[in-house]
Amino acid sequence: MVRAAVLPAVGAPLEVTDIDLPDPGPGQVRVRLAAAGVCHSDLSLSNGTMRVPVPAVLGHEGAGTVVAVGEGVNGVAPGSRVVLNWAPACGSCHACALGEVWLCANALNGAADVYARTADGTDLHPGLNVAAFAEETVVSEACLLPLPEGIPLTDAALLGCAVLTGYGAVHHAARVREGETVAVYGVGGVGLAALQAARIAGASRIVAVDVSPEKEELARAAGATDYVIASDTTAREIRGLTGKQGVDVAVECVGRAATIRTAWDSTRRGGRTTVVGIGGKDQQVTFNALELFHWGRTLAGCVYGNANPAEDLPVLAEHVRAGRLDLGALVTERIALDGIPAAFDNMLAGKGGRALVVF
């Protein structure tokens, strides 16, 4: 039995309780979590914006230590330090064949499995494959990435989603080049990672945009050269900061129609807007045909930072070891399992960066 935060039904409050976690079966690994990040996607799963089989244990951003392996597992052993990979590529679908592993059609197949049970015998599903909101979890070996040396295990949890997504949005999706100007909308965990990534890419001007004045210090520490409080005049303010041209790249980490539209409006003619935030179906963004032609801008979605976790994790680790990437700077509070609902409330209120559940 281990403690876990269970989502009993969509829209219901999380329940921290004991669950019965079985021994790992063939191809499976049991991991003792060191930490798990509280991501906006977890909130979206809990409130029904994204679908998940329930009851479920959410949490998809985590790191820990292998404590047991099932038959046929060769890549890790008890004692191995690992990062959870919630979207393992199958290697055989159409997207994988094209090398677009972040779009793998089968990545989330495991989320429908029954992986554990409550104390009264109710079946539980692993939210986004890995069920990181628990002291321990059992996952497929494919859901594990070896943690490179020199990275603190607790901070490494952030590599599993926020950093791969924010870094990938800048380096893979938007392909920010040295000297370009960048605006990042939303200074949460992913936004802070994107700001650091823009700095690493050599952006000449990095504008952070958020509704909260209190996040300015966080944003500037991450690399922002300018900070703009979100308003109806945000796009105009950003054009004013860039010689009336607009930024080369806007990275939207909020997932709201109005923010996406503002991000688009704040880029120069021919600029690029990358949408990372996950919005609901009711968030409709509109453009007219003439402006699409005239501005020549590009608007693109971004899934998991368009990243290949197996290839990108060693790169990120090297940035951490060299001091270019500060994982701890993304974390604004360290909590226990029972602190997750409050962390959800803070996200809804636009407060703080990443909350990290520390076991």
Side-chain angles (χ1 to χ4, degrees), residues 83 145-149 151 159 164 167 308-322 324-325:
V83 175
L145 298 165
L147 177 62
E149 293 298 321
I151 311 299
L159 294 170
L164 273 171
Y167 179 90
N308 182 332
E311 294 182 358
D312 287 331
L313 189 60
V315 174
L316 293 173
E318 181 54 35
H319 284 311
V320 173
R321 287 191 293 261
R324 293 183 291 267
L325 180 60

Side-chain angles (χ1 to χ4, degrees), residues 37-47 58-61 128 133 344 347:
V38 182
C39 179
H40 203 282
S41 296
D42 297 309
L43 175 60
S44 296
L45 290 166
S46 71
N47 64 24
L58 302 182
H60 60 280
E61 179 183 87
L128 293 186
F133 288 165
F344 282 174
M347 279 192 284

Side-chain angles (χ1 to χ4, degrees), residues 173 272-276 298-302 306:
R272 314 185 299 280
T273 298
T274 296
V275 179
V276 181
T298 301
L299 177 70
C302 175
N306 291 12

Side-chain angles (χ1 to χ4, degrees), residues 54-79:
V54 291
V57 174
L58 302 182
H60 60 280
E61 179 183 87
T65 304
V66 173
V67 293
V69 300
E71 181 182 352
V73 172
N74 299 308
V76 295

Side-chain angles (χ1 to χ4, degrees), residues 97-145:
L98 293 174
E100 298 173 350
V101 296
W102 55 91
L103 299 178
C104 175
N106 302 309
L108 293 178
N109 285 357
D113 294 344
V114 172
Y115 94 113
R117 289 177 173 82
T118 62
D120 64 5
T122 302
D123 291 343
L124 288 172
H125 302 282
L128 293 186
N129 286 325
V130 297
F133 288 165
E135 294 169 334
E136 296 186 8
T137 188
V138 172
V139 300
S140 165
E141 182 183 8
C143 290
L144 299 179
L145 298 165

Side-chain angles (χ1 to χ4, degrees), residues 190-210:
V190 174
L192 287 168
L195 288 168
Q196 291 201 43
R199 174 175 46 75
I200 291 170
S204 61
R205 190 158 209 157
I206 305 170
V207 184
V209 182
D210 199 276

